[in-house]
Amino acid sequence: MKIWVDADACPVVIKEILFRAAERTQVPLTLVANQPLQTPNSDYIDTLQVPRGFDVADDEIVKRLTPGDLVITSDIPLAAEVIDNGGHALSPRGELHTTENIRARLNMRDFLDTMRASGVDTGGPPALSQRDRQQFANTLDRFLTQHVKLKRILEANLPGFARPGDVGGKTDEACRKEPLYIFLIEQIGDVQARRPSIILERET
């Protein structure tokens, strides 16, 4: 699993939470932006600079995404693409997008766009509050806790999963085709948004 950040519009305080989380959990984190970014010196944090242009960063994230990855974005259409491709999407306000809620959010976004196009001032989103920051940190922590549990189960049951290339071990791609891996990924999926700790509790 990897964390991708739609970084051009991501608040600095959210990036700082992500930096600490990546270091703590050792989950790779990549910030995608159309400009150079400063990040801490870390084996788990890097950046990817893309050309300027409409949706260039979004398209690059979708192209590199693998099922189970987490994408941090406030862009609803990008979140929908991520979910359609088997990933997870979390907004900087701590809202976890799921198959159950993403269509309604897309419809609301399109409605507001139509209103603005007709001259109605719909206003912008409120400033990121302390409550938003805390909700983001809490949701991210729950998500990554589940990931660590999943990784522990896979390492115990699929030799070579975390060590592709070992003698006798399986490649990461081969492990992802194993029934246990597929079952766990399917079971976790959107359930994280509704019951963030129930799926793997009995496995620990």
Side-chain angles (χ1 to χ4, degrees), residues 23 39-45:
E23 280 293 320
T39 61
N41 184 19
S42 169
D43 292 336
Y44 305 105
I45 301 169

Side-chain angles (χ1 to χ4, degrees), residues 12-86:
V12 173
V13 66
I14 299 302
K15 292 175 186 172
E16 291 172 350
I17 293 172
L18 287 163
F19 294 154
R20 293 193 293 270
E23 280 293 320
R24 185 180 71 253
T25 62
Q26 300 183 355
V27 173
L29 170 71
T30 298
L31 291 86
V32 183
N34 58 27
Q35 57 188 321
L37 297 173
Q38 289 188 336
T39 61
N41 184 19
S42 169
D43 292 336
Y44 305 105
I45 301 169
D46 64 4
T47 63
L48 175 63
Q49 186 173 350
V50 298
R52 294 182 179 274
F54 184 69
D55 284 347
V56 174
D58 296 2
D59 293 343
E60 192 66 28
I61 290 173
V62 172
K63 182 175 75 174
R64 293 171 178 260
L65 182 81
T66 59
D69 284 356
L70 174 65
V71 176
I72 310 301
T73 183
S74 56
D75 187 304
I76 300 298
L78 172 57
E81 279 197 84
V82 167
I83 291 170
D84 287 344
N85 283 277

Side-chain angles (χ1 to χ4, degrees), residues 78-154:
L78 172 57
E81 279 197 84
V82 167
I83 291 170
D84 287 344
N85 283 277
H88 306 274
L90 176 64
S91 83
R93 297 180 187 276
E95 301 165 325
L96 190 62
H97 302 294
T98 70
T99 52
E100 281 79 13
N101 62 35
I102 192 63
R103 298 306 161 192
R105 292 174 180 176
L106 271 174
N107 290 339
M108 177 57 70
R109 173 194 176 275
D110 293 344
F111 172 73
L112 292 175
D113 279 352
T114 301
M115 296 289 286
R116 284 190 287 268
S118 65
V120 176
D121 182 6
T122 60
L128 196 73
S129 67
Q130 181 60 42
R131 182 178 181 180
D132 293 331
R133 299 173 192 176
Q134 189 62 55
Q135 181 172 330
F136 176 83
N138 291 342
T139 305
L140 179 67
D141 182 67
R142 288 196 300 268
F143 185 96
L144 293 179
T145 297
Q146 294 284 26
H147 166 72
V148 170
K149 290 180 178 180
L150 171 60
K151 183 178 179 182
R152 189 183 307 140
I153 294 171
L154 291 171

